[in-house]
Amino acid sequence: MRCLRDFLQTAQRSAVAIGHFNVSDLVLVKAVFAAARELNVPVLVGLSEGEREFVGTRQIAAFVRSLREEFDFPIFLNADHTHSLAKGIQAAKAGFDSVVFDLSALPIEENVRQTKQAVEAMKAVNPSVLVEGEIGDIGTGSEIHESSPDLSKGLSTPEEAKQFVESTRVDILAPAVGNMHGMLRSMVRGETKKRLDIERIAGIKRAARAFLTLHGGSGTDDEDLRKAIAAGINIVHINTELRVAWRHGLEHGLAKQPDEVVPYKILPSVVDSVKQVVGSRLQLFNGRHVAHGT
């Protein structure tokens, strides 16, 4: 099996992006894997520190590895938003393919200093692990928010991106380009969409010359996502859209069978609900016609 770096290079040459979907149970993993296999495209599953704590860092690594080996399929594993070196090393030791070392809340000088150390330490554990750094402000929490913070103040600049990548030697950069974690209620209802600064993405790509990740992709305008990928985004993160679909699927499964107590009879509706969202996002990221009108 080719490594994640190879698939990212292929995606970059083809001007498509690899979809990254956060999971916090095996139902979500099943849905993401099924959608990716159906479309025959590589996929990343990611877990934040909280998600890893719930599922188990070594346990999810073993589960994803077993899928990759049994089906000979490019499903990769990312330690999303890791805020301490100890947690990053834990993920590298467990066999994660990439780690997001996120110190974007710190002043840029401190972020650079600690991220550089983290890159060296994690690659000493596993030379093939890809390390992602983050700059700028995209808010916190893949949840439903009542109001949006003013993101314009924390946008990344091409100069900052270039300096950060050169100083830290990160493989992947996550800039702030109008994206935001979580979704507003109006986005869940489909009334509003997130908009991205496409020119800024193109400028950062030219300056940084690194793989770029778009965090907080849920609820983003489809056309903006297409343009962002064309401008140099290589990975797009989706979490909140999946959480909403998971909840809707569970409610539907329980309502349809109010007396059922067997989990594997209730949960297929959750898999279907999440799989539909993942499939439509993967089609979009890979430049294919998007089904389901999403």
Side-chain angles (χ1 to χ4, degrees), residues 6 34 37 63 65 106 113 123 173 175 211 252 256 294:
D6 291 343
R37 280 192 77 208
F63 190 80
R65 194 179 307 117
L106 296 179
R113 191 182 70 77
K123 286 186 183 282
L173 178 69
F211 296 124
H252 178 70
K256 202 169 63 176
T294 43

Side-chain angles (χ1 to χ4, degrees), residues 8 11 16-22 42-46 78 80 132 172 179 194 196 201 212-222 224-230 232-239 241-242 278 281-282 284-286:
L8 281 168
V16 299
I18 296 179
H20 173 291
F21 302 92
N22 282 71
V43 72
L44 263 163
V45 291
N78 175 52
D80 201 9
E132 177 176 324
I172 307 166
N179 44 330
K194 295 177 194 171
L196 305 172
I201 293 169
L212 295 185
T213 297
L214 182 78
H215 283 264
S218 292
T220 304
D221 178 75
D222 280 6
D224 275 19
L225 284 171
R226 285 191 195 95
K227 288 176 182 169
I229 292 165
I233 291 289
N234 307 108
I235 303 169
V236 182
H237 280 226
I238 302 287
N239 191 351
E241 284 180 20
L242 265 59
V278 174
R281 298 287 92 186
L282 284 174
L284 178 69
F285 302 159
N286 286 278

Side-chain angles (χ1 to χ4, degrees), residues 52 77-82 84 87-89 91-92 96-102 122 129-133 172:
R52 295 194 308 267
L77 186 59
N78 175 52
D80 201 9
H81 294 294
T82 302
S84 74
K87 290 275 169 70
I89 286 174
F96 277 60
D97 300 285
S98 57
V99 176
V100 179
F101 192 68
D102 177 11
M122 284 188 266
V129 73
L130 299 184
V131 183
E132 177 176 324
I172 307 166

Side-chain angles (χ1 to χ4, degrees), residues 18-245:
I18 296 179
H20 173 291
F21 302 92
N22 282 71
V23 300
S24 46
D25 68 9
L26 297 188
V27 172
L28 285 154
V29 180
K30 275 173 73 80
V32 171
F33 186 60
R37 280 192 77 208
E38 217 166 83
L39 293 165
N40 197 26
V41 294
V43 72
L44 263 163
V45 291
L47 298 91
S48 65
E49 285 186 356
E51 289 161 340
R52 295 194 308 267
E53 207 170 291
F54 182 72
V55 178
T57 301
R58 287 173 62 185
Q59 288 70 32
I60 192 67
F63 190 80
V64 170
R65 194 179 307 117
S66 72
L67 289 175
R68 186 155 65 197
E69 289 169 1
E70 183 180 343
F71 296 93
D72 191 27
F73 191 84
I75 179 171
F76 297 101
L77 186 59
N78 175 52
D80 201 9
H81 294 294
T82 302
H83 302 289
S84 74
L85 182 53
K87 290 275 169 70
I89 286 174
Q90 186 183 50
K93 281 183 174 170
F96 277 60
D97 300 285
S98 57
V99 176
V100 179
F101 192 68
D102 177 11
L103 297 184
S104 57
L106 296 179
I108 187 77
E109 300 78 15
E110 194 53 31
N111 185 357
V112 166
R113 191 182 70 77
Q114 290 193 39
T115 301
K116 182 176 188 290
Q117 288 175 344
V119 170
E120 290 165 2
M122 284 188 266
K123 286 186 183 282
V125 170
N126 175 7
S128 65
V129 73
L130 299 184
V131 183
E132 177 176 324
E134 189 165 321
I135 55 174
D137 178 20
I138 56 172
T140 58
S142 296
E143 297 154 0
I144 310 302
H145 303 299
E146 296 298 336
S147 61
S148 169
D150 180 7
L151 299 169
S152 62
K153 292 189 181 76
L155 292 180
S156 308
T157 66
E159 299 74 34
E160 188 180 53
K162 182 177 192 291
Q163 186 223 333
F164 185 84
V165 171
E166 287 176 356
S167 302
T168 60
R169 311 286 299 272
V170 290
D171 305 284
I172 307 166
L173 178 69
V177 289
N179 44 330
M180 170 189 105
H181 280 127
M183 290 169 75
L184 301 177
R185 290 199 187 281
S186 56
M187 291 171 185
V188 177
R189 294 193 296 266
E191 296 161 5
T192 60
K193 296 281 184 188
K194 295 177 194 171
R195 305 307 300 250
L196 305 172
D197 189 333
I198 306 301
E199 285 304 308
R200 192 175 290 263
I201 293 169
I204 287 170
K205 187 70 175 186
R206 282 192 300 270
R209 302 172 69 84
F211 296 124
L212 295 185
T213 297
L214 182 78
H215 283 264
S218 292
T220 304
D221 178 75
D222 280 6
E223 196 52 40
D224 275 19
L225 284 171
R226 285 191 195 95
K227 288 176 182 169
I229 292 165
I233 291 289
N234 307 108
I235 303 169
V236 182
H237 280 226
I238 302 287
N239 191 351
T240 314
E241 284 180 20
L242 265 59
R243 290 176 169 185
V244 170

